[in-house]
Short mmCIF file of all heavy atoms in Angstrom, two decimals:
data_model
loop_
_atom_site.label_atom_id
_atom_site.label_comp_id
_atom_site.label_asym_id
_atom_site.label_seq_id
_atom_site.Cartn_x
_atom_site.Cartn_y
_atom_site.Cartn_z
N TRP A 245 61.23 -73.85 57.49
CA TRP A 245 62.13 -75.01 57.53
C TRP A 245 63.48 -74.55 57.99
O TRP A 245 64.01 -73.65 57.36
CB TRP A 245 62.20 -75.63 56.12
CG TRP A 245 63.06 -76.83 56.03
CD1 TRP A 245 64.41 -76.88 56.24
CD2 TRP A 245 62.65 -78.15 55.68
NE1 TRP A 245 64.86 -78.15 56.06
CE2 TRP A 245 63.81 -78.95 55.70
CE3 TRP A 245 61.43 -78.74 55.35
CZ2 TRP A 245 63.78 -80.31 55.40
CZ3 TRP A 245 61.41 -80.08 55.05
CH2 TRP A 245 62.58 -80.87 55.07
N PRO A 246 64.11 -75.07 58.96
CA PRO A 246 63.64 -76.15 59.80
C PRO A 246 63.04 -75.69 61.12
O PRO A 246 62.48 -76.50 61.85
CB PRO A 246 64.94 -76.91 60.09
CG PRO A 246 65.97 -75.84 60.11
CD PRO A 246 65.50 -74.74 59.22
N ASN A 247 63.11 -74.37 61.41
CA ASN A 247 62.78 -73.91 62.76
C ASN A 247 61.35 -74.24 63.17
O ASN A 247 61.09 -74.91 64.17
CB ASN A 247 62.97 -72.39 62.85
CG ASN A 247 64.36 -71.99 62.44
OD1 ASN A 247 64.93 -72.57 61.51
ND2 ASN A 247 64.92 -71.02 63.11
N PHE A 248 60.39 -73.74 62.34
CA PHE A 248 59.00 -73.88 62.77
C PHE A 248 58.51 -75.32 62.61
O PHE A 248 57.79 -75.84 63.46
CB PHE A 248 58.10 -72.93 61.95
CG PHE A 248 56.70 -72.89 62.46
CD1 PHE A 248 56.41 -72.29 63.67
CD2 PHE A 248 55.67 -73.46 61.72
CE1 PHE A 248 55.12 -72.26 64.15
CE2 PHE A 248 54.37 -73.44 62.21
CZ PHE A 248 54.10 -72.84 63.42
N LEU A 249 58.99 -75.97 61.53
CA LEU A 249 58.54 -77.34 61.28
C LEU A 249 58.96 -78.25 62.42
O LEU A 249 58.22 -79.16 62.82
CB LEU A 249 59.11 -77.85 59.95
CG LEU A 249 58.41 -79.08 59.40
CD1 LEU A 249 56.94 -78.79 59.15
CD2 LEU A 249 59.07 -79.57 58.13
N LEU A 250 60.14 -77.98 62.99
CA LEU A 250 60.61 -78.79 64.11
C LEU A 250 59.61 -78.70 65.27
O LEU A 250 59.22 -79.71 65.86
CB LEU A 250 61.99 -78.32 64.56
CG LEU A 250 62.53 -79.02 65.80
CD1 LEU A 250 62.72 -80.51 65.53
CD2 LEU A 250 63.84 -78.40 66.25
N LYS A 251 59.17 -77.47 65.55
CA LYS A 251 58.19 -77.30 66.64
C LYS A 251 56.89 -78.03 66.31
O LYS A 251 56.29 -78.68 67.17
CB LYS A 251 57.91 -75.82 66.86
CG LYS A 251 59.06 -75.11 67.52
CD LYS A 251 58.82 -73.63 67.57
CE LYS A 251 60.12 -72.92 67.92
NZ LYS A 251 60.13 -71.54 67.44
N GLU A 252 56.47 -77.90 65.04
CA GLU A 252 55.23 -78.58 64.65
C GLU A 252 55.35 -80.09 64.83
O GLU A 252 54.43 -80.74 65.32
CB GLU A 252 54.91 -78.27 63.19
CG GLU A 252 54.26 -76.92 63.00
CD GLU A 252 53.48 -76.85 61.70
OE1 GLU A 252 53.92 -77.48 60.72
OE2 GLU A 252 52.44 -76.19 61.67
N TRP A 253 56.51 -80.62 64.45
CA TRP A 253 56.67 -82.06 64.55
C TRP A 253 56.80 -82.52 66.00
O TRP A 253 56.41 -83.64 66.33
CB TRP A 253 57.87 -82.52 63.70
CG TRP A 253 57.53 -82.55 62.23
CD1 TRP A 253 56.41 -82.02 61.65
CD2 TRP A 253 58.29 -83.14 61.18
NE1 TRP A 253 56.42 -82.23 60.30
CE2 TRP A 253 57.57 -82.91 59.98
CE3 TRP A 253 59.51 -83.81 61.10
CZ2 TRP A 253 58.03 -83.35 58.73
CZ3 TRP A 253 59.97 -84.25 59.86
CH2 TRP A 253 59.23 -84.02 58.69
N LEU A 254 57.35 -81.64 66.84
CA LEU A 254 57.38 -81.99 68.27
C LEU A 254 55.95 -82.10 68.79
O LEU A 254 55.59 -83.07 69.47
CB LEU A 254 58.15 -80.94 69.07
CG LEU A 254 59.68 -81.00 68.89
CD1 LEU A 254 60.33 -79.85 69.62
CD2 LEU A 254 60.22 -82.33 69.40
N ALA A 255 55.13 -81.11 68.42
CA ALA A 255 53.72 -81.16 68.83
C ALA A 255 53.07 -82.41 68.24
O ALA A 255 52.31 -83.12 68.92
CB ALA A 255 52.99 -79.90 68.36
N GLY A 256 53.41 -82.70 66.96
CA GLY A 256 52.86 -83.88 66.31
C GLY A 256 53.25 -85.16 67.03
O GLY A 256 52.45 -86.08 67.16
N SER A 257 54.47 -85.22 67.54
CA SER A 257 54.92 -86.42 68.24
C SER A 257 54.13 -86.63 69.52
O SER A 257 53.72 -87.76 69.83
CB SER A 257 56.41 -86.31 68.59
OG SER A 257 57.14 -86.08 67.43
N VAL A 258 53.93 -85.54 70.27
CA VAL A 258 53.14 -85.65 71.49
C VAL A 258 51.74 -86.15 71.14
O VAL A 258 51.19 -87.07 71.77
CB VAL A 258 53.06 -84.28 72.19
CG1 VAL A 258 52.11 -84.34 73.37
CG2 VAL A 258 54.43 -83.84 72.62
N PHE A 259 51.17 -85.59 70.07
CA PHE A 259 49.85 -85.99 69.62
C PHE A 259 49.83 -87.47 69.27
O PHE A 259 48.93 -88.22 69.66
CB PHE A 259 49.48 -85.14 68.40
CG PHE A 259 48.16 -85.47 67.80
CD1 PHE A 259 46.99 -84.92 68.32
CD2 PHE A 259 48.07 -86.32 66.70
CE1 PHE A 259 45.76 -85.22 67.75
CE2 PHE A 259 46.85 -86.63 66.14
CZ PHE A 259 45.69 -86.08 66.67
N LEU A 260 50.88 -87.90 68.55
CA LEU A 260 50.93 -89.30 68.10
C LEU A 260 51.00 -90.24 69.29
O LEU A 260 50.34 -91.28 69.32
CB LEU A 260 52.14 -89.50 67.19
CG LEU A 260 52.29 -90.92 66.63
CD1 LEU A 260 51.12 -91.27 65.74
CD2 LEU A 260 53.59 -91.06 65.85
N VAL A 261 51.81 -89.85 70.31
CA VAL A 261 51.91 -90.71 71.50
C VAL A 261 50.54 -90.85 72.14
O VAL A 261 50.09 -91.96 72.46
CB VAL A 261 52.94 -90.13 72.49
CG1 VAL A 261 52.86 -90.86 73.82
CG2 VAL A 261 54.34 -90.24 71.91
N GLY A 262 49.84 -89.73 72.28
CA GLY A 262 48.49 -89.78 72.85
C GLY A 262 47.57 -90.65 72.03
O GLY A 262 46.83 -91.50 72.55
N PHE A 263 47.66 -90.49 70.71
CA PHE A 263 46.80 -91.25 69.80
C PHE A 263 47.07 -92.75 69.90
O PHE A 263 46.15 -93.56 69.97
CB PHE A 263 47.05 -90.76 68.37
CG PHE A 263 46.24 -91.48 67.33
CD1 PHE A 263 44.90 -91.20 67.17
CD2 PHE A 263 46.83 -92.44 66.52
CE1 PHE A 263 44.15 -91.86 66.21
CE2 PHE A 263 46.10 -93.10 65.57
CZ PHE A 263 44.75 -92.81 65.41
N MET A 264 48.36 -93.12 69.96
CA MET A 264 48.68 -94.54 70.02
C MET A 264 48.26 -95.13 71.36
O MET A 264 47.85 -96.28 71.44
CB MET A 264 50.18 -94.77 69.78
CG MET A 264 50.63 -94.49 68.37
SD MET A 264 49.62 -95.22 67.07
CE MET A 264 50.02 -96.95 67.25
N ILE A 265 48.36 -94.32 72.43
CA ILE A 265 47.90 -94.81 73.74
C ILE A 265 46.40 -95.10 73.67
O ILE A 265 45.93 -96.15 74.12
CB ILE A 265 48.23 -93.79 74.85
CG1 ILE A 265 49.75 -93.78 75.10
CG2 ILE A 265 47.49 -94.13 76.14
CD1 ILE A 265 50.21 -92.72 76.06
N LEU A 266 45.67 -94.18 73.05
CA LEU A 266 44.23 -94.39 72.89
C LEU A 266 43.96 -95.68 72.12
O LEU A 266 43.14 -96.51 72.50
CB LEU A 266 43.63 -93.19 72.13
CG LEU A 266 42.17 -93.32 71.67
CD1 LEU A 266 41.25 -93.19 72.87
CD2 LEU A 266 41.83 -92.28 70.63
N THR A 267 44.71 -95.85 71.02
CA THR A 267 44.52 -97.03 70.17
C THR A 267 44.82 -98.31 70.93
O THR A 267 44.11 -99.31 70.81
CB THR A 267 45.43 -96.93 68.95
OG1 THR A 267 45.13 -95.72 68.28
CG2 THR A 267 45.24 -98.08 68.02
N LEU A 268 45.91 -98.30 71.72
CA LEU A 268 46.29 -99.51 72.44
C LEU A 268 45.36 -99.78 73.60
O LEU A 268 45.06 -100.93 73.91
CB LEU A 268 47.74 -99.39 72.93
CG LEU A 268 48.77 -99.36 71.81
CD1 LEU A 268 50.16 -99.07 72.37
CD2 LEU A 268 48.79 -100.69 71.07
N ALA A 269 44.90 -98.71 74.24
CA ALA A 269 44.06 -98.90 75.42
C ALA A 269 42.65 -99.35 75.04
O ALA A 269 42.01 -100.08 75.79
CB ALA A 269 43.99 -97.60 76.22
N HIS A 270 42.17 -98.92 73.89
CA HIS A 270 40.82 -99.28 73.48
C HIS A 270 40.85 -99.96 72.12
O HIS A 270 40.78 -99.28 71.11
CB HIS A 270 39.93 -98.04 73.41
CG HIS A 270 39.75 -97.37 74.71
ND1 HIS A 270 38.85 -97.78 75.66
CD2 HIS A 270 40.40 -96.31 75.25
CE1 HIS A 270 38.94 -97.00 76.71
NE2 HIS A 270 39.87 -96.10 76.50
N PRO A 271 40.97 -101.27 72.09
CA PRO A 271 40.95 -101.96 70.79
C PRO A 271 39.66 -101.62 70.06
O PRO A 271 38.61 -101.45 70.69
CB PRO A 271 40.98 -103.44 71.16
CG PRO A 271 41.42 -103.49 72.57
CD PRO A 271 41.02 -102.21 73.21
N SER A 272 39.77 -101.51 68.75
CA SER A 272 38.57 -101.12 68.01
C SER A 272 37.52 -102.21 68.12
O SER A 272 37.83 -103.39 68.03
CB SER A 272 38.92 -100.86 66.55
OG SER A 272 39.65 -101.94 66.05
N PRO A 273 36.28 -101.82 68.35
CA PRO A 273 35.23 -102.81 68.57
C PRO A 273 34.81 -103.49 67.28
O PRO A 273 34.87 -102.91 66.21
CB PRO A 273 34.08 -101.96 69.11
CG PRO A 273 34.32 -100.60 68.58
CD PRO A 273 35.79 -100.44 68.43
N LEU A 274 34.44 -104.74 67.41
CA LEU A 274 33.88 -105.47 66.27
C LEU A 274 32.73 -106.30 66.82
O LEU A 274 32.91 -107.10 67.72
CB LEU A 274 34.93 -106.37 65.64
CG LEU A 274 34.47 -107.17 64.42
CD1 LEU A 274 34.17 -106.25 63.26
CD2 LEU A 274 35.51 -108.20 64.02
N GLU A 275 31.54 -106.06 66.29
CA GLU A 275 30.39 -106.84 66.76
C GLU A 275 30.27 -108.11 65.94
O GLU A 275 31.07 -108.36 65.05
CB GLU A 275 29.12 -105.99 66.65
CG GLU A 275 29.15 -104.78 67.55
CD GLU A 275 27.81 -104.06 67.62
OE1 GLU A 275 26.94 -104.36 66.79
OE2 GLU A 275 27.66 -103.23 68.51
N GLY A 276 29.25 -108.89 66.25
CA GLY A 276 29.04 -110.13 65.49
C GLY A 276 28.78 -109.83 64.04
O GLY A 276 28.39 -108.73 63.67
N MET A 277 29.00 -110.84 63.20
CA MET A 277 28.81 -110.66 61.76
C MET A 277 27.38 -110.21 61.45
O MET A 277 26.43 -110.66 62.08
CB MET A 277 29.09 -111.98 61.06
CG MET A 277 29.06 -111.89 59.56
SD MET A 277 29.82 -113.36 58.88
CE MET A 277 29.20 -113.33 57.23
N ALA A 278 27.26 -109.33 60.48
CA ALA A 278 25.96 -108.76 60.14
C ALA A 278 24.96 -109.87 59.84
O ALA A 278 25.23 -110.76 59.06
CB ALA A 278 26.10 -107.85 58.92
N ASP A 279 23.82 -109.78 60.50
CA ASP A 279 22.77 -110.75 60.28
C ASP A 279 21.44 -110.00 60.28
O ASP A 279 20.98 -109.57 61.33
CB ASP A 279 22.81 -111.80 61.40
CG ASP A 279 21.67 -112.78 61.28
OD1 ASP A 279 20.97 -112.74 60.25
OD2 ASP A 279 21.48 -113.57 62.21
N PRO A 280 20.86 -109.81 59.10
CA PRO A 280 19.64 -109.00 59.02
C PRO A 280 18.51 -109.54 59.89
O PRO A 280 17.57 -108.81 60.20
CB PRO A 280 19.25 -109.10 57.54
CG PRO A 280 20.49 -109.52 56.83
CD PRO A 280 21.29 -110.32 57.81
N THR A 281 18.59 -110.80 60.31
CA THR A 281 17.48 -111.36 61.09
C THR A 281 17.72 -111.25 62.58
O THR A 281 16.93 -111.77 63.35
CB THR A 281 17.27 -112.83 60.73
OG1 THR A 281 18.50 -113.53 60.95
CG2 THR A 281 16.87 -112.98 59.28
N THR A 282 18.82 -110.59 63.00
CA THR A 282 19.06 -110.44 64.42
C THR A 282 17.82 -109.84 65.06
O THR A 282 17.38 -108.77 64.67
CB THR A 282 20.24 -109.50 64.68
OG1 THR A 282 21.34 -109.98 63.94
CG2 THR A 282 20.59 -109.47 66.15
N PRO A 283 17.25 -110.52 66.04
CA PRO A 283 16.01 -109.98 66.61
C PRO A 283 16.29 -108.75 67.46
O PRO A 283 17.25 -108.72 68.22
CB PRO A 283 15.49 -111.13 67.46
CG PRO A 283 16.68 -111.95 67.77
CD PRO A 283 17.66 -111.78 66.66
N GLY A 284 15.46 -107.77 67.31
CA GLY A 284 15.50 -106.61 68.20
C GLY A 284 16.78 -105.83 68.22
O GLY A 284 17.12 -105.24 69.23
N TYR A 285 17.52 -105.82 67.13
CA TYR A 285 18.75 -105.02 67.13
C TYR A 285 18.40 -103.54 66.99
O TYR A 285 17.63 -103.14 66.13
CB TYR A 285 19.67 -105.43 65.99
CG TYR A 285 21.04 -104.82 66.14
CD1 TYR A 285 22.03 -105.51 66.82
CD2 TYR A 285 21.31 -103.55 65.67
CE1 TYR A 285 23.27 -104.94 67.01
CE2 TYR A 285 22.55 -102.97 65.85
CZ TYR A 285 23.53 -103.67 66.52
OH TYR A 285 24.75 -103.10 66.71
N ILE A 286 18.94 -102.72 67.89
CA ILE A 286 18.67 -101.29 67.82
C ILE A 286 19.82 -100.62 67.08
O ILE A 286 20.94 -100.60 67.57
CB ILE A 286 18.54 -100.69 69.23
CG1 ILE A 286 17.47 -101.46 69.99
CG2 ILE A 286 18.20 -99.22 69.14
CD1 ILE A 286 17.51 -101.22 71.47
N PRO A 287 19.54 -100.09 65.89
CA PRO A 287 20.64 -99.51 65.12
C PRO A 287 21.16 -98.23 65.76
O PRO A 287 20.42 -97.48 66.40
CB PRO A 287 20.00 -99.21 63.76
CG PRO A 287 18.55 -99.20 63.99
CD PRO A 287 18.26 -99.98 65.22
N LEU A 288 22.45 -98.01 65.58
CA LEU A 288 23.07 -96.81 66.13
C LEU A 288 24.19 -96.38 65.20
O LEU A 288 25.07 -97.18 64.89
CB LEU A 288 23.63 -97.12 67.52
CG LEU A 288 23.86 -95.91 68.40
CD1 LEU A 288 22.54 -95.31 68.82
CD2 LEU A 288 24.66 -96.29 69.61
N PRO A 289 24.18 -95.14 64.73
CA PRO A 289 25.24 -94.71 63.83
C PRO A 289 26.50 -94.32 64.61
O PRO A 289 26.50 -94.33 65.83
CB PRO A 289 24.62 -93.48 63.15
CG PRO A 289 23.67 -92.95 64.13
CD PRO A 289 23.17 -94.10 64.94
N ASP A 290 27.54 -94.00 63.87
CA ASP A 290 28.76 -93.52 64.49
C ASP A 290 28.45 -92.22 65.22
O ASP A 290 27.49 -91.53 64.89
CB ASP A 290 29.82 -93.29 63.41
CG ASP A 290 31.18 -93.78 63.86
OD1 ASP A 290 31.32 -94.06 65.07
OD2 ASP A 290 32.09 -93.90 63.04
N TRP A 291 29.29 -91.87 66.22
CA TRP A 291 28.91 -90.78 67.12
C TRP A 291 28.68 -89.45 66.42
O TRP A 291 27.83 -88.67 66.82
CB TRP A 291 29.93 -90.62 68.25
CG TRP A 291 31.30 -90.21 67.76
CD1 TRP A 291 32.32 -91.04 67.44
CD2 TRP A 291 31.78 -88.88 67.54
NE1 TRP A 291 33.40 -90.33 67.02
CE2 TRP A 291 33.11 -89.00 67.07
CE3 TRP A 291 31.24 -87.60 67.69
CZ2 TRP A 291 33.88 -87.89 66.75
CZ3 TRP A 291 32.03 -86.51 67.36
CH2 TRP A 291 33.33 -86.66 66.90
N TYR A 292 29.41 -89.20 65.32
CA TYR A 292 29.25 -87.88 64.70
C TYR A 292 28.02 -87.78 63.83
O TYR A 292 27.76 -86.75 63.22
CB TYR A 292 30.51 -87.46 63.93
CG TYR A 292 31.15 -88.54 63.11
CD1 TYR A 292 30.74 -88.81 61.82
CD2 TYR A 292 32.18 -89.29 63.66
CE1 TYR A 292 31.34 -89.81 61.08
CE2 TYR A 292 32.78 -90.29 62.93
CZ TYR A 292 32.37 -90.55 61.64
OH TYR A 292 32.96 -91.54 60.92
N PHE A 293 27.24 -88.88 63.75
CA PHE A 293 25.93 -88.78 63.08
C PHE A 293 24.79 -88.78 64.08
O PHE A 293 23.63 -88.66 63.70
CB PHE A 293 25.74 -89.94 62.12
CG PHE A 293 26.60 -89.87 60.90
CD1 PHE A 293 27.56 -90.81 60.64
CD2 PHE A 293 26.45 -88.82 60.01
CE1 PHE A 293 28.36 -90.74 59.52
CE2 PHE A 293 27.25 -88.74 58.88
CZ PHE A 293 28.20 -89.70 58.64
N LEU A 294 25.14 -88.94 65.37
CA LEU A 294 24.08 -89.08 66.37
C LEU A 294 23.13 -87.89 66.38
O LEU A 294 21.93 -88.05 66.58
CB LEU A 294 24.68 -89.27 67.77
CG LEU A 294 25.21 -90.66 68.09
CD1 LEU A 294 25.80 -90.69 69.49
CD2 LEU A 294 24.10 -91.69 67.98
N PHE A 295 23.66 -86.68 66.18
CA PHE A 295 22.78 -85.51 66.28
C PHE A 295 21.71 -85.53 65.20
O PHE A 295 20.56 -85.19 65.44
CB PHE A 295 23.59 -84.20 66.25
CG PHE A 295 24.20 -83.87 64.92
CD1 PHE A 295 23.60 -82.94 64.09
CD2 PHE A 295 25.36 -84.48 64.50
CE1 PHE A 295 24.17 -82.62 62.86
CE2 PHE A 295 25.94 -84.18 63.28
CZ PHE A 295 25.33 -83.25 62.46
N LEU A 296 22.09 -85.99 63.99
CA LEU A 296 21.10 -86.10 62.91
C LEU A 296 20.06 -87.17 63.23
O LEU A 296 18.87 -87.01 63.01
CB LEU A 296 21.80 -86.46 61.61
CG LEU A 296 22.30 -85.31 60.77
CD1 LEU A 296 23.03 -85.83 59.54
CD2 LEU A 296 21.14 -84.43 60.34
N TYR A 297 20.59 -88.28 63.77
CA TYR A 297 19.75 -89.41 64.12
C TYR A 297 18.72 -89.01 65.18
O TYR A 297 17.54 -89.35 65.10
CB TYR A 297 20.69 -90.49 64.65
CG TYR A 297 20.09 -91.83 64.92
CD1 TYR A 297 19.52 -92.58 63.90
CD2 TYR A 297 20.13 -92.38 66.20
CE1 TYR A 297 19.01 -93.82 64.16
CE2 TYR A 297 19.62 -93.61 66.46
CZ TYR A 297 19.05 -94.33 65.44
OH TYR A 297 18.55 -95.57 65.70
N GLU A 298 19.21 -88.21 66.15
CA GLU A 298 18.33 -87.76 67.23
C GLU A 298 17.30 -86.76 66.70
O GLU A 298 16.13 -86.80 67.07
CB GLU A 298 19.17 -87.12 68.34
CG GLU A 298 18.38 -86.63 69.54
CD GLU A 298 17.86 -87.78 70.39
OE1 GLU A 298 18.31 -88.92 70.20
OE2 GLU A 298 16.98 -87.52 71.24
N LEU A 299 17.75 -85.89 65.81
CA LEU A 299 16.85 -84.88 65.24
C LEU A 299 15.63 -85.54 64.60
O LEU A 299 14.50 -85.08 64.75
CB LEU A 299 17.62 -84.08 64.18
CG LEU A 299 16.83 -83.00 63.42
CD1 LEU A 299 16.46 -81.87 64.37
CD2 LEU A 299 17.62 -82.47 62.25
N LEU A 300 15.88 -86.70 63.94
CA LEU A 300 14.79 -87.38 63.24
C LEU A 300 13.80 -88.03 64.19
O LEU A 300 12.77 -88.54 63.76
CB LEU A 300 15.36 -88.43 62.29
CG LEU A 300 16.16 -87.85 61.13
CD1 LEU A 300 16.72 -88.94 60.27
CD2 LEU A 300 15.29 -86.92 60.29
N LYS A 301 14.11 -88.05 65.49
CA LYS A 301 13.18 -88.64 66.43
C LYS A 301 12.12 -87.63 66.85
O LYS A 301 11.13 -87.99 67.48
CB LYS A 301 13.92 -89.14 67.66
CG LYS A 301 14.71 -90.40 67.40
CD LYS A 301 15.26 -90.94 68.69
CE LYS A 301 16.33 -91.97 68.43
NZ LYS A 301 17.11 -92.23 69.64
N TYR A 302 12.36 -86.34 66.58
CA TYR A 302 11.39 -85.35 66.99
C TYR A 302 10.21 -85.31 66.03
O TYR A 302 10.38 -85.50 64.82
CB TYR A 302 12.05 -83.98 67.09
CG TYR A 302 12.98 -83.89 68.25
CD1 TYR A 302 14.33 -84.20 68.12
CD2 TYR A 302 12.51 -83.54 69.52
CE1 TYR A 302 15.19 -84.16 69.20
CE2 TYR A 302 13.36 -83.50 70.60
CZ TYR A 302 14.69 -83.81 70.44
OH TYR A 302 15.52 -83.77 71.52
N GLU A 303 9.06 -85.04 66.58
CA GLU A 303 7.86 -85.10 65.76
C GLU A 303 7.87 -84.10 64.62
O GLU A 303 7.37 -84.37 63.54
CB GLU A 303 6.62 -84.88 66.63
CG GLU A 303 5.90 -86.16 66.93
CD GLU A 303 4.80 -85.94 67.94
OE1 GLU A 303 3.80 -85.33 67.56
OE2 GLU A 303 4.97 -86.35 69.11
N PHE A 304 8.48 -82.93 64.87
CA PHE A 304 8.46 -81.91 63.82
C PHE A 304 9.44 -82.23 62.71
O PHE A 304 9.50 -81.54 61.70
CB PHE A 304 8.76 -80.52 64.40
CG PHE A 304 10.14 -80.41 65.00
CD1 PHE A 304 11.23 -80.10 64.20
CD2 PHE A 304 10.33 -80.62 66.34
CE1 PHE A 304 12.49 -80.00 64.75
CE2 PHE A 304 11.59 -80.52 66.89
CZ PHE A 304 12.66 -80.22 66.10
N ALA A 305 10.25 -83.28 62.90
CA ALA A 305 11.25 -83.60 61.89
C ALA A 305 11.11 -85.03 61.37
O ALA A 305 12.02 -85.58 60.81
CB ALA A 305 12.66 -83.40 62.45
N SER A 306 9.94 -85.62 61.61
CA SER A 306 9.78 -86.98 61.14
C SER A 306 8.35 -87.18 60.69
O SER A 306 7.56 -86.25 60.71
CB SER A 306 10.14 -87.96 62.27
OG SER A 306 9.41 -87.63 63.42
N GLY A 307 8.03 -88.41 60.32
CA GLY A 307 6.69 -88.67 59.82
C GLY A 307 6.40 -87.77 58.64
O GLY A 307 7.19 -87.69 57.69
N PRO A 308 5.29 -87.04 58.69
CA PRO A 308 4.95 -86.19 57.55
C PRO A 308 5.92 -85.03 57.34
O PRO A 308 5.98 -84.45 56.27
CB PRO A 308 3.55 -85.68 57.88
CG PRO A 308 3.39 -85.89 59.35
CD PRO A 308 4.27 -87.04 59.73
#
Side-chain angles (χ1 to χ4, degrees):
Chain A
W245 181 296
N247 305 38
F248 188 70
L249 197 60
L250 175 63
K251 288 173 193 155
E252 281 202 325
W253 283 11
L254 286 175
S257 304
V258 174
F259 178 84
L260 182 63
V261 170
F263 179 77
M264 291 311 290
I265 289 174
L266 171 74
T267 303
L268 293 173
H270 297 278
S272 50
L274 181 67
E275 296 189 347
M277 186 165 161
D279 176 8
T281 57
T282 307
Y285 192 91
I286 305 164
L288 201 69
D290 222 347
W291 64 268
Y292 42 86
F293 289 117
L294 282 179
F295 71 101
L296 271 178
Y297 188 62
E298 181 72 13
L299 178 68
L300 293 178
K301 287 188 194 165
Y302 289 92
E303 257 172 72
F304 63 85
S306 53

